[in-house]
C-alpha cells in the first residue's frame, strides 16, 4: 500500500536544523528481531521478557538467562538492517549533526550506516564481568553459533578470565541505572533539538521514555511512527500510523526533495 504523508510532515523534517531520532524495538521488527513485548518462544515461552531482563533472574538462573541472550545475539547476527534503519542513516546524511538515540541492544543502526547511535540500554555485543562493571569481560569466546538454530537452550555463562566471576550481558536490566554518558548525551540532544522523531517504541520504559517529553517541553516538534497508539501520542504533533520500514523511507525521500537534494 502506498504511504500518504500528512501535509507538512516532510517539510517539518526537511526544514529542521537539529534532529533527534529516538528508536525502539519496532524499528527492528521488520528485520525479524522480536520486540520486547512479543510473546517469547521455546524454552522461554513461560516467561515474560520483563521477568528475564533483571539482575534477579540472572543470578537465580544464569544458564536460563545467558542462553536467552545468546539465542537473541545469534538472531541479531543473522538479521539485516531494513529500510527503516537505512532511512535513519539517510536523515543523518541530510541533516548533519542528527543524533540517533536507541533503546535497542542490537547493532542494526550501525550496520545501516548510522554514525554513532547512543545506546541507552547497552548492547548484546558488549558482555562484561559481573564484579567489575568497568572492565569489559575477557572471556573464552562463545560466539552464539551453537544456538543459531531456532530452539535455543540453557547455556552456562563464561567466566571472566581476569577474576573468575560470571560474565553477564552488557545490557541495562530493570532496576539498573542507564549508562551515565549515554543518558546525558540523550538529554542534551533532546533539550536542544527542533524535531524529534520517535519510531517503534511503546514509550513505557523509563527513564528512556522521558526523552521525547524533554524534547516536547523544550519546544521541539515530536513526530511519531508506530502502528499502535502509545502514551507518546499526546505529545506528538504528527502521528504516522504504520510500520517504520514502510513510512520512514517515504518521509525521508520527501524531506530530501523538500530540501532540494533529491
Ligand atoms: C513498530 C513496528 C514496526 C511494532 N514499525 N513500530 C517511572 C515510572 C514507572 C516505572 C519506572 C519509572 N522510572 C523507572 C521505572 C522502572 C523501570 C520501568 O520503566 N518500568 C516500566 C516497565 C514501568 N525502569 C527501570 O528499571 C530502568 N532503570 C531505572 O529506572 O533505574 C533507576 C536507578 C537509578 C540509579 C541507580 C540504580 C537504579 C531501567 C530500564 C531498562 C530497560 N531495559 C530493557 C531490556 C534491555 C535488555 C534486553 O533487551 O533484554 O530495554 S526493557 C525493554 O524495554 C528494552 C527496551 O529497550 C525497552 C523499551 O522497549 P521498546 O523499545 O519501546 O519496545 P516495546 O516492545 O515495548 O515496543 C515496541 C513498539 O514497536 C510497540 O509500540 C509496537 O507497536 C511498535 N512496533 N512493529 C514501527 N514495524
Amino acid at each position: 500500500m502506498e504511504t500518504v504523508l500528512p501535509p507538512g510532515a516532510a517539510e517539518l523534517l526537511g526544514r529542521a536544523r537539529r534532529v533527534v531520532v529516538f528508536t525502539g524495538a519496532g524499528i527492528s521488527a521488520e528485520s525479524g528481531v522480536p520486540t520486547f513485548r512479543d510473546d517469547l518462544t521455546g524454552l522461554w515461552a513461560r516467561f515474560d521478557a520483563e521477568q528475564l531482563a533483571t539482575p534477579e533472574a540472572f543470578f537465580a538462573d544464569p544458564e536460563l538467562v545467558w542462553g536467552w541472550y545468546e539465542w537473541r545475539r545469534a538472531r541479531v547476527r543473522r538479521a539485516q538492517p531494513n529500510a527503516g534503519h537505512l532511512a535513519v542513516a539517510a536523515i543523518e546524511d541530510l541533516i548533519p549533526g542528527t543524533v540517533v538515540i536507541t533503546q535497542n541492544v542490537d547493532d542494526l543502526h550501525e550496520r545501516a550506516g548510522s554514525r554513532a547511535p547512543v545506546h541507552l540500554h547497552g548492547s548484546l555485543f558488549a558482555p562484561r564481568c559481573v564484579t567489575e562493571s568497568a572492565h569489559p569481560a575477557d572471556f573464552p569466546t562463545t560466539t552464539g553459533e551453537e544456538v543459531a538454530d531456532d530452539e535455543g537452550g540453557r547455556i552456562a555463562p563464561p567466566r571472566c578470565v581476569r577474576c573468575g566471576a560470571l560474565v553477564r550481558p552488557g545490557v541495562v536490566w530493570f532496576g539498573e541505572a542507564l549508562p551515565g554518558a549515554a543518558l546525558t548525551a540523550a538529554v542534551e540532544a533532546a533539550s536542544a533539538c527542533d524535531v524529534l522523531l520517535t519510531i517503534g517504541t511503546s514509550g513505557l520504559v523509563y527513564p528512556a521514555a522521558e526523552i521525547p517529553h524533554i524534547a516536547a517541553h523544550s519546544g521541539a516538534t515530536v513526530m511519531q511512527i508506530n502502528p499502535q497508539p502509545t502514551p507518546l501520542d499526546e505529545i506528538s504533533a504528527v502521528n504516522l500510523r504504520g510500520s517504520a520500514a514502510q513510512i520512514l523511507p517515504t518521509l525521508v525521500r520527501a524531506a530530501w526533495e523538500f530540501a532540494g537534494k533529491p
Side-chain angles (χ1 to χ4, degrees):
M1 200 173 51
E2 197 195 335
T3 301
V4 179
L5 298 172
E11 288 79 356
L12 261 173
L13 184 59
R15 200 183 293 125
R17 295 286 167 89
R18 282 173 298 186
V19 172
V20 167
V21 179
F22 178 68
T23 67
I27 196 166
S28 296
E30 284 155 289
S31 292
V33 179
T35 73
F36 205 72
R37 268 143 251 288
D38 285 338
D39 288 341
L40 300 185
T41 55
L43 179 64
W44 306 283
R46 63 198 166 92
F47 299 98
D48 287 336
E50 276 192 32
Q51 285 174 282
L52 293 177
T54 67
E56 292 77 15
F58 180 71
F59 287 110
D61 193 342
E63 294 184 10
L64 177 79
V65 174
W66 183 263
W68 184 49
Y69 280 95
E70 285 292 88
W71 177 78
R72 290 173 58 196
R73 203 145 66 103
R75 250 186 113 142
V76 167
R77 272 218 184 92
R78 283 180 298 171
Q80 296 302 323
N82 65 52
H85 298 103
L86 295 169
V88 170
I91 296 175
E92 296 175 70
D93 291 340
L94 175 64
I95 305 156
T98 293
V99 178
V100 177
I101 302 168
T102 186
Q103 299 164 84
N104 297 345
V105 294
D106 64 46
D107 61 352
L108 295 176
H109 280 304
E110 284 89 341
R111 285 201 266 143
S114 280
R115 288 168 183 87
V118 174
H119 280 271
L120 289 178
H121 292 158
S123 163
L124 287 173
F125 301 99
R128 62 175 202 262
C129 173
V130 293
T131 59
E132 301 171 60
S133 53
H135 84 73
D138 281 333
F139 63 91
T141 311
T142 58
T143 61
E145 299 309 328
E146 65 271 32
V147 290
D149 59 42
D150 282 336
E151 288 300 311
R154 301 173 68 85
I155 300 176
R159 297 268 170 186
C160 175
V161 298
R162 287 196 211 173
C163 69
L166 287 177
V167 167
R168 58 160 285 178
V171 300
V172 182
W173 282 325
F174 284 110
E176 294 186 320
L178 274 58
L183 188 56
T184 301
V187 169
E188 282 177 7
S191 309
C193 68
D194 45 27
V195 168
L196 181 140
L197 194 50
T198 173
I199 306 165
T201 177
S202 57
L204 293 172
V205 176
Y206 283 83
E210 280 168 13
I211 298 301
H213 290 278
I214 290 170
H217 291 148
S218 306
T221 302
V222 175
M223 303 171 76
Q224 175 171 240
I225 300 178
N226 198 310
Q228 302 293 332
T230 79
L232 300 174
D233 287 3
E234 58 190 52
I235 58 160
S236 298
V238 179
N239 243 314
L240 301 167
R241 284 270 183 262
S243 97
Q246 213 166 25
I247 293 178
L248 205 45
T250 306
L251 174 66
V252 175
R253 207 175 305 118
W256 271 82
E257 281 165 13
F258 175 80
K261 302 177 187 171

